[in-house]
């Protein structure tokens, strides 16, 4: 599958809203958020049918790493698209 492009991360009070473009033949999108670029510290992960996800309960003024990939039945998973964001009040 194609990589989800146009990754947009918006940080607000204790929240990061993440969006990306939709990918043809994708059944779902795997979203991950972590405290480090290796995605090993405080990893939160989930697969959802929408190309948008909101992470809540975050610490304001802390840098978070977010990535997304497309997944589809009968297709190889896409590569990850990643970025960083800091929630601010």
């Amino acid at each position: 599958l194609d990589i989800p492009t146009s990754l947009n991360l918006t940080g607000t009070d204790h929240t990061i809203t993440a969006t990306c473009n939709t990918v043809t033949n994708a059944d779902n999108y795997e979203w991950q958020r972590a405290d480090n670029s290796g995605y090993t510290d405080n990893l939160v992960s989930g697969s959802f049918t929408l190309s948008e996800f909101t992470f809540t309960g975050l610490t304001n003024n802390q840098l978070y790493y977010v990535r997304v990939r497309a997944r589809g039945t009968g297709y190889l998973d896409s590569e990850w698209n990643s970025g960083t964001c800091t929630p601010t009040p």
Side-chain angles (χ1 to χ4, degrees):
L1 293 172
D2 291 333
I3 189 170
T5 57
S6 302
L7 179 62
N8 184 37
L9 304 173
T10 304
T12 56
D13 195 22
H14 300 284
T15 303
I16 293 174
T17 301
T19 60
C20 66
N21 72 306
T22 57
V23 175
T24 302
N25 296 317
D27 296 327
N28 59 64
Y29 299 85
E30 183 176 4
W31 291 96
Q32 294 188 342
R33 187 270 298 159
D35 292 349
N36 68 327
S37 61
Y39 292 87
T40 56
D41 293 344
N42 296 315
L43 177 66
V44 174
S45 182
S47 292
F48 304 92
T49 57
L50 298 176
S51 59
E52 177 177 332
F53 188 74
T54 300
F55 297 95
T56 60
L58 305 177
T59 302
N60 283 337
N61 302 312
Q62 177 178 327
L63 181 67
Y64 289 95
Y65 296 81
V66 177
R67 65 184 180 179
V68 62
R69 69 178 172 179
R71 306 181 85 180
T73 304
Y75 296 90
L76 293 175
D77 295 346
S78 76
E79 297 294 320
W80 291 101
N81 189 354
S82 59
T84 59
C85 190
T86 302
T88 54

